[in-house]
Amino acid sequence: MPVVEVKNLTKVFGRKTKAALEMVKDKKSKNEILRKTGSTVGVYDASFKVEKGEIFVIMGLSGSGKSTLIRLINRLIEPTDGSVMVDGDDIAKVDKDKLREIRRTKMSMVFQNFGLFPNRTILENTAYGLEIRGVEKEERNKRAGEALKNLHLYDFKDQLPSQLSGGMQQRVGLARALANDPEVLLMDEAFSALDPLIRKEMQDELLELQQKLQKTIIFITHDLNEALRLGDRITIMRDGQIQQIGTGEEILTTPANDYVKTFVQDVDYSRVLTAQNIMEPASLLNIQAEGPNIALRRMKHDKISMLLAVDRERKLQGVITAEAARDAKNTGKDLVDYLDTSIPTIAKDTTVNDIFNIIYDAKTPVAVTENGKVLGVVIRGSVIEALADEDAESIDTNDIVDVQPEKGDK
Amino acid sequence: MLPNMLLQQLPVADWVESITNWLTNTLSGLFGFIQTVGQGLMDWMTNYLTWINPFVMIAIVVIGAFFISGRKLGLATFSLIGLLFVLNQDLWSDLMSTFTLVLISSLVSVVIGVPLGIWSSKSDRAQAVITPILDFMQTMPGFVYLIPAVAFFGIGVVPGVFSSVIFALPPTVRMTNLGIRQVPEELVEAAESFGSTGSQRLFKLDLPLAKNTIMAGINQTIMLSLSMVVMSSMIGAPGLGRGVLSAVQRAQVGTGFVNGISLVILAIIIDRYTQNINRLMSAESKAIDKDAKLKQMKVRRGVLIGSIVVIVVSAIVQAVMG
């Protein structure tokens, strides 16, 4: 049995709702409807079911109505038409008291910009939902404390939100929602305001928590890769209407219409994949400690003809080729004198597209470094492989950190 | 009818007059009651304030200034010199009368203004009605309020408070409205999404976040009611204003200046006091470190108890000395 069942949900902002709805049925564009009626169709005829324990992702670009849709589900926005069934209650129709009751016990929301109360400490923020339900202070602090421990935030409980980083603030937002122990978690672009690395971390954390808690999660995003990573099922929206509902696999392989197809195709994998997706572990030589004999043995063992020379701190110094190592061994000179320092380096977020130009005229593999330290190497073969396999299935999207299908979205 | 209207002057003045008369007659019981109670309350307060030895009073104000301004000497020094000057000019009891008038009219303004502000922040319709009324109240010359005030309450301090309240109310209402409307939309949504009731939202979110803005409004209200003091003296309200008024009537530049400067001293002290208290209150909510919070509370409690002891002791000393 589905936990949340949305049927024919429609929201029109403005006065002439009937006229606007007629025009939507005639497949008129959003701009035309706005011009003629002065009304905006936020969501039109959305229907879907969300099963227990599922992460249901609603994705679309800005203006697609996804944020309106999630607010219709807990009625922060009054629906024009349609129903939202949760546990046998139609949220669109229940009275104020019942609605408050449902919001207090059955669904909690996580916001894009965290929505933390700046005048309350982390613990007080987390306990807010329990506090307004009238749970005794001791009890609610205990439960809020547990929610904070789940997200490794307990040590910060007496701080104010402004003292925490964005990623930590959003973890508080999540803890606050979970402290209520709701059945349904509504997450409105919850990770979109975070920088890419933190975002990936939070996605991992959410998936980990979900394995433990098995909540029903409705997750809004504009980021296709976030949708693919998190979603058991994905809904793609455009102009307030649902284009397709399906698993990530289905969306990528059998797009329902041209919009979804272009949406998915827009992901240019040579721009999406970065050095860290295709790099390989580097064979290193500590030039300050190791000599030519070790170098030669390691090359033989790894079946390669050159090693990356690093210092004790793993900082890149250059390249030692097999010839250089042999000459050093024969002449008895220091290996440092044979160091080839002309090796090209790239950052880990360099896209494959850019790597291709660099590697094209490089004699050696390209080193991937961060603050001078070696992370790995990219060899010509893996670049070509990545560029050749542009069909979706072969790419492990889990490793893609940040993709935005179109620019200009928030 | 229409040509009549164009040719003849409309008797608006008569209408207002008869409405005022009607109000005076019908509500005379109520007005009389307010007049008696208000007069009694304010007389008692002024008497109490003047009964305390001026030096004790100055000491309390100066010490208080030192602590609330974060142990800086500026405000304390100013209060000391300023108040001693007022005492030296033999204007102490006038100062206390003025202070009573300002205090009571500010209190009444806040008690009426904050709820009005909350109401207009919650309802667009209320705001649409209240805003033009506030504009009217602020732009109408303050003198005009004196006339109905006299009609309702006779002469004295109560009509003074009445006209001060009308004149000084708007900033509190406006700033309360503004402060609550400025609470970020996402926080309102967050409060709603967890199922807050209206009053939970008001007391847990709106008022705490709007506090600084509301306090700025109250500060403005106090300043405005201080500026109304001179005008109220025209209808018999006691205090420094009366000195200014009589100096104007007799063209005594010197007396006018001395009374005026005493008002300025009072205004500056009240203004800095309220600003510092506001600052302390927001600093308190920002003090996250529990120890610091505790320490701060201890210091404040110490100051409070200290000043109460001083007042009580001074009262006893006064009583014994006769």
Side-chain angles (χ1 to χ4, degrees):
Chain A
M1 205 186 111
V3 176
V4 179
E5 188 173 0
V6 171
K7 247 191 238 158
N8 310 108
L9 201 57
T10 297
K11 174 67 192 181
V12 179
F13 295 102
R15 287 204 179 138
K16 297 179 182 165
T17 52
K18 278 212 177 114
L21 285 175
E22 284 301 317
M23 289 182 75
V24 188
K25 271 180 204 151
D26 294 345
K27 299 212 172 6
K28 296 280 197 292
S29 82
K30 221 172 168 173
N31 284 338
E32 201 176 335
I33 297 171
L34 180 63
R35 210 169 47 236
K36 289 236 172 90
T37 65
S39 297
T40 312
V41 179
V43 172
Y44 178 68
D45 201 22
S47 300
F48 55 84
K49 293 174 187 172
V50 186
E51 302 294 334
K52 186 167 171 48
E54 183 180 31
I55 301 185
F56 187 81
V57 175
I58 299 170
M59 83 154 295
L61 303 180
S62 55
S64 62
K66 57 192 190 304
S67 286
T68 307
L69 180 54
I70 202 170
R71 280 166 177 72
L72 290 172
I73 293 174
N74 66 353
R75 218 167 109 183
L76 283 176
I77 296 176
E78 284 292 326
T80 309
D81 198 17
S83 67
V84 180
M85 301 299 290
V86 175
D87 266 1
D89 289 311
D90 183 357
I91 291 187
K93 305 233 160 44
V94 293
D95 63 20
K96 280 249 157 79
D97 291 336
K98 184 73 193 167
L99 176 65
R100 195 175 297 134
E101 177 68 29
I102 292 171
R103 283 177 177 172
R104 283 179 175 188
T105 54
K106 289 187 182 154
M107 42 175 61
S108 294
M109 193 158 172
V110 180
F111 293 86
Q112 180 171 11
N113 297 307
F114 326 134
L116 300 179
F117 305 123
N119 54 326
R120 298 175 147 247
T121 65
I122 299 309
L123 187 69
E124 286 166 350
N125 260 291
T126 312
Y128 184 81
L130 298 166
E131 183 181 329
I132 58 173
R133 267 157 67 177
V135 177
E136 286 301 318
K137 187 164 186 177
E138 204 173 311
E139 170 72 11
R140 69 174 187 248
N141 281 352
K142 200 182 107 209
R143 278 157 72 177
E146 270 159 24
L148 285 174
K149 276 179 198 149
N150 266 334
L151 286 141
H152 319 295
L153 282 166
Y154 191 72
D155 293 341
F156 302 94
K157 71 180 168 57
D158 292 325
Q159 306 241 300
L160 289 176
S162 56
Q163 294 171 302
L164 268 53
S165 68
M168 282 161 83
Q169 288 190 36
Q170 192 55 299
R171 294 227 290 272
V172 178
L174 194 53
R176 178 176 65 179
L178 290 173
N180 248 359
D181 196 24
E183 287 167 46
V184 181
L185 211 53
L186 303 173
M187 303 184 72
D188 178 27
E189 301 234 25
F191 303 150
S192 300
L194 306 174
D195 65 62
L197 288 174
I198 307 288
R199 190 187 311 176
K200 194 178 175 210
E201 219 171 83
M202 290 291 293
Q203 290 164 356
D204 290 337
E205 197 150 351
L206 180 68
L207 288 171
E208 205 175 294
L209 269 174
Q210 172 65 358
Q211 285 209 324
K212 206 160 49 173
L213 301 171
Q214 289 294 310
K215 299 283 179 202
T216 305
I217 300 175
I218 298 178
F219 193 102
I220 301 279
T221 182
H222 62 257
D223 177 348
L224 180 59
N225 286 282
E226 188 166 68
L228 292 170
R229 277 201 81 190
L230 296 176
D232 295 318
R233 281 188 304 148
I234 298 168
T235 298
I236 295 194
M237 283 189 78
R238 179 205 192 183
D239 287 350
Q241 299 186 44
I242 290 179
Q243 304 293 312
Q244 185 174 4
I245 302 179
T247 62
E249 188 82 16
E250 284 164 7
I251 301 257
L252 287 175
T253 53
T254 51
N257 57 30
D258 286 348
Y259 179 76
V260 179
K261 198 183 272 175
T262 45
F263 202 95
V264 175
Q265 270 177 355
D266 267 350
V267 185
D268 173 358
Y269 287 95
S270 74
R271 287 175 199 284
V272 167
L273 291 176
T274 60
Q276 62 177 341
N277 298 125
I278 60 166
M279 71 185 180
E280 289 171 14
S283 296
L284 300 177
L285 181 75
N286 183 345
I287 195 105
Q288 286 171 323
E290 296 166 324
N293 284 319
I294 298 178
L296 284 170
R297 199 180 308 151
R298 191 165 296 158
M299 286 183 214
K300 198 174 169 191
H301 178 264
D302 291 352
K303 298 192 178 74
I304 46 176
S305 61
M306 55 178 65
L307 294 174
L308 295 184
V310 294
D311 64 8
R312 287 199 180 86
E313 283 158 347
R314 234 180 127 90
K315 290 221 162 117
L316 183 67
Q317 303 297 315
V319 174
I320 295 290
T321 59
E323 288 90 349
R326 198 178 312 123
D327 288 353
K329 189 185 172 189
N330 291 340
T331 56
K333 275 193 190 166
D334 202 355
L335 204 49
V336 177
D337 298 334
Y338 292 91
L339 204 58
D340 178 1
T341 54
S342 66
I343 178 168
T345 62
I346 51 172
K348 65 179 177 189
D349 52 2
T350 314
T351 60
V352 169
N353 209 28
D354 293 335
I355 299 172
F356 188 75
N357 295 328
I358 297 167
I359 214 161
Y360 189 75
D361 25 52
K363 283 181 259 115
T364 58
V366 179
V368 184
T369 58
E370 188 177 47
N371 303 327
K373 287 184 187 170
V374 177
L375 299 173
V377 288
V378 171
I379 56 172
R380 213 174 283 189
S382 44
V383 177
I384 293 164
E385 202 180 326
L387 289 176
D389 287 355
E390 277 202 11
D391 51 326
E393 296 102 310
S394 66
I395 307 278
D396 180 5
T397 45
N398 283 351
D399 288 340
I400 302 171
V401 176
D402 180 31
V403 198
Q404 305 218 346
E406 249 174 53
K407 280 184 183 159
D409 202 14
K410 57 182 165 176
Chain B
M1 185 67 193
L2 190 67
N4 222 10
M5 254 177 73
L6 291 173
L7 294 172
Q8 269 185 344
Q9 188 188 14
L10 287 172
V12 177
D14 293 340
W15 295 341
V16 176
E17 198 116 332
S18 51
I19 292 172
T20 313
N21 283 339
W22 178 81
L23 275 175
T24 314
N25 292 331
T26 17
L27 298 177
S28 66
L30 178 67
F31 289 144
F33 176 73
I34 294 175
Q35 159 75 12
T36 321
V37 172
Q39 186 78 46
L41 175 73
M42 274 176 279
D43 284 348
W44 174 81
M45 206 175 140
T46 313
N47 284 340
Y48 179 71
L49 287 174
T50 39
W51 174 71
I52 296 176
N53 187 308
F55 291 106
V56 175
M57 189 72 134
I58 292 174
I60 292 171
V61 173
V62 170
I63 291 169
F66 177 68
F67 279 107
I68 63 161
S69 59
R71 295 165 194 246
K72 290 199 189 94
L73 285 172
L75 180 57
T77 316
F78 179 84
S79 308
L80 182 67
I81 296 173
L83 293 176
L84 283 177
F85 171 78
V86 175
L87 186 64
N88 171 266
Q89 296 297 312
D90 199 19
L91 292 170
W92 187 257
S93 67
D94 284 342
L95 184 76
M96 288 302 117
S97 304
T98 301
F99 179 65
T100 308
L101 193 68
V102 170
L103 190 69
I104 298 289
S105 44
S106 305
L107 272 179
V108 174
S109 299
V110 169
V111 168
I112 299 174
V114 171
L116 269 182
I118 292 171
W119 186 36
S120 68
S121 74
K122 296 289 172 189
S123 148
D124 286 340
R125 198 173 294 169
Q127 179 179 251
V129 174
I130 290 173
T131 309
I133 296 177
L134 294 181
D135 294 339
F136 179 90
M137 282 161 69
Q138 266 185 316
T139 42
M140 178 70 92
F143 296 101
V144 178
Y145 300 129
L146 299 178
I147 310 165
V150 172
F152 295 155
F153 302 106
I155 59 165
V157 69
V158 173
V161 168
F162 173 81
S163 45
S164 288
V165 167
I166 295 181
F167 189 66
L169 187 64
T172 296
V173 183
R174 278 188 215 278
M175 297 295 252
T176 304
N177 178 26
L178 179 73
I180 294 179
R181 281 178 188 265
Q182 272 176 345
V183 172
E185 176 66 21
E186 203 178 53
L187 296 186
V188 173
E189 279 190 339
E192 291 289 326
S193 75
F194 282 99
S196 307
T197 61
S199 63
Q200 280 172 336
R201 200 186 117 189
L202 183 66
F203 289 108
K204 291 179 196 292
L205 179 68
D206 292 344
L207 289 180
L209 288 195
K211 193 177 67 193
N212 283 352
T213 316
I214 297 175
M215 286 303 287
I218 292 176
N219 177 281
Q220 284 305 298
T221 287
I222 296 174
M223 292 298 111
L224 278 182
S225 68
L226 196 60
S227 77
M228 191 68 194
V229 160
V230 180
M231 282 184 241
S232 333
S233 66
M234 294 172 82
I235 51 171
L240 292 168
R242 197 177 275 176
V244 174
L245 189 70
S246 79
V248 169
Q249 284 161 346
R250 297 176 208 160
Q252 294 168 323
V253 182
T255 323
F257 178 77
V258 170
N259 278 284
I261 204 87
S262 304
L263 268 173
V264 172
I265 290 167
L266 178 64
I268 291 176
I269 293 176
I270 294 181
D271 180 58
R272 297 298 185 275
Y273 250 80
T274 47
Q275 278 182 18
N276 274 311
I277 287 169
N278 189 15
R279 193 178 50 80
L280 274 185
M281 275 162 65
S282 44
E284 175 196 24
S285 61
K286 275 185 192 124
I288 7 76
D289 192 358
K290 269 207 170 148
D291 293 339
K293 215 172 188 173
L294 215 69
K295 205 173 145 197
Q296 214 177 28
M297 266 168 63
K298 267 186 189 159
V299 169
R300 202 151 327 126
R301 201 176 299 155
V303 171
L304 192 72
I305 293 173
S307 29
I308 292 172
V309 167
V310 170
I311 291 174
V312 170
V313 168
S314 72
I316 295 169
V317 170
Q318 289 262 322
V320 170
M321 307 266 283

